[in-house]
Amino acid sequence: MPHPTDGYEDDDLDDLPPPRPVHYAEQALLGALLLHPHRLAEIGVLNAEHFDNYAHGILFAAIRTVPAPDPEQHLTDPAWLNTVLDSARPEAPGLTASYLHTLIQVCPWPKHAAAYARMIRADHARRTLGAHAEGLALAATDATLPNPAATTLAQADALARFLEDLAGQFAPHPGSLPRTPLLPEPPRDAGEEALDEEQFLLASATAHPAELKEMRWLLPEDFALPLHAGLWQCLTALTHRDDPVDPVTVMWEAQHRGLLNANIAPTDLMSLTSTPVGSPEYWGEKVIQRALLARAHAVATRITAYTDDPANTPHQLITGSRRALADLHALRTRWKYASTPAPTTSPARTRASAPARAGPPRTTAPSASRISR
């Protein structure tokens, strides 16, 4: 219920944005329940927090809490309406008796209460999914976290569980993919620290090329700078062919891959691979973690675009968001492989040879011919 200060009656102020469609669905449902309280049993699972308007949620909670009146008496006696209003006012003091009568008047068909409730649940699902995407984006960009990758993936898991829960609430239908036009993915972090980590990786990999064969979890698209991605391809190609690897051979391979141009001289490329610091695995894990966080942020941005588009149905939101998370899962699998220590192998246990069984006691001495053999 994100709008505790929303007005409860329409006004003519031109500077206020028009209410969103769910506002009228909430009014229609509340009007139906105020007029026919017994329809509360027809609307399915619905809670006060599903309402976008805070006061509407409080009023719904009061309707559900106050015992239903006698149907015949309710047609002529407003006592139940007054009891509901008294129950809601401590939490929503702006509610008035006239607004309750307005809700009743604006309800088109009380028998459509279940349909109005479905609309409210759908809009609540969209808003909640947007909140999950916002949490994922914040985790992926928070540099103060002690373990940003773990925190970000925990947010992604929470989002996936929410989508799983939604899938059980809303039936699928044809045309389930969102048609929302998506903006290009946000640019990767190309700050000094990120570029230094990539350069240290390239230099250490040039100095220790044998270790690259164990780093298949790192791909060119994990790099923030395209030039660094191209040099990584040069290194992996040389290693795959068992060719000599050093700054000069890497530069020569880069020439064939079109990395040299007017702005990048051979000495520039060789300097990128000539100052090794640490091990390739260490810097590779740094690079893939940055790629993981960047991908999580891109996924959050895509899901936010889906939730900001009111044309998307709940099932379209579910399908589009699941596909976005699948892109993150593929990179997550590689990151997990990179960051998980290799299991220590213990020597195979050998079974101790069983002692030879004693044979039957000899009754005769062995023959001379057997001794001489």
Side-chain angles (χ1 to χ4, degrees), residues 21-163:
V22 70
H23 175 81
Y24 301 101
E26 292 179 1
Q27 284 189 322
L29 175 64
L30 293 173
L33 297 179
L34 290 172
L35 187 61
H36 297 152
H38 69 277
R39 296 195 181 276
L40 190 64
E42 304 172 359
I43 64 173
V45 178
L46 193 67
N47 299 316
E49 55 267 23
H50 289 153
F51 287 76
D52 184 46
N53 184 290
Y54 177 80
H56 287 171
I58 295 300
L59 182 57
F60 175 78
I63 293 173
R64 195 170 59 176
T65 302
V66 175
D70 176 81
E72 295 297 330
Q73 183 179 1
H74 182 58
L75 294 176
T76 57
D77 188 353
W80 184 79
L81 295 178
N82 294 332
T83 304
V84 169
L85 182 60
D86 292 340
S87 176
R89 267 182 173 169
E91 297 293 332
L95 285 172
T96 62
S98 63
Y99 186 61
L100 267 61
H101 289 284
T102 298
L103 293 175
I104 294 174
Q105 293 171 0
V106 299
C107 176
W109 290 98
K111 65 181 180 179
H112 295 165
Y116 306 145
R118 286 195 298 270
M119 298 174 191
I120 296 170
R121 283 193 293 269
D123 195 76
H124 174 261
R126 182 185 59 79
R127 297 194 311 272
T128 307
L129 180 58
H132 276 285
E134 181 181 1
L136 179 60
L138 290 175
T141 55
D142 189 350
T144 65
L145 295 173
N147 193 340
T151 303
T152 300
L153 292 177
Q155 288 285 346
D157 289 339
L159 196 157
R161 288 192 297 270
F162 177 71
L163 290 173

Side-chain angles (χ1 to χ4, degrees), residues 365-373:
S367 64
S369 59
R370 293 184 59 185
I371 295 176
S372 63
R373 288 182 182 177

Side-chain angles (χ1 to χ4, degrees), residues 152-240:
T152 300
L153 292 177
Q155 288 285 346
D157 289 339
L159 196 157
R161 288 192 297 270
F162 177 71
L163 290 173
E164 191 68 24
D165 182 61
L166 284 187
Q169 300 178 28
F170 297 94
H173 57 80
S176 57
L177 289 177
R179 297 182 177 87
T180 305
L182 298 177
L183 298 175
E185 289 192 3
R188 285 284 306 276
D189 173 22
E192 183 177 354
E193 184 178 2
L195 297 184
D196 283 347
E197 291 171 354
E198 294 183 359
Q199 182 176 347
F200 292 150
L201 168 61
L202 296 172
S204 60
T206 303
H208 308 284
E211 299 183 20
L212 269 65
K213 294 182 179 180
E214 304 298 327
M215 296 178 60
R216 296 176 181 176
W217 39 263
L218 189 65
L219 300 179
E221 56 262 32
D222 298 331
F223 289 77
L225 192 65
L227 174 61
H228 292 169
L231 288 175
W232 181 253
Q233 288 179 308
C234 295
L235 283 164
T236 55
L238 290 172
T239 305
H240 179 72

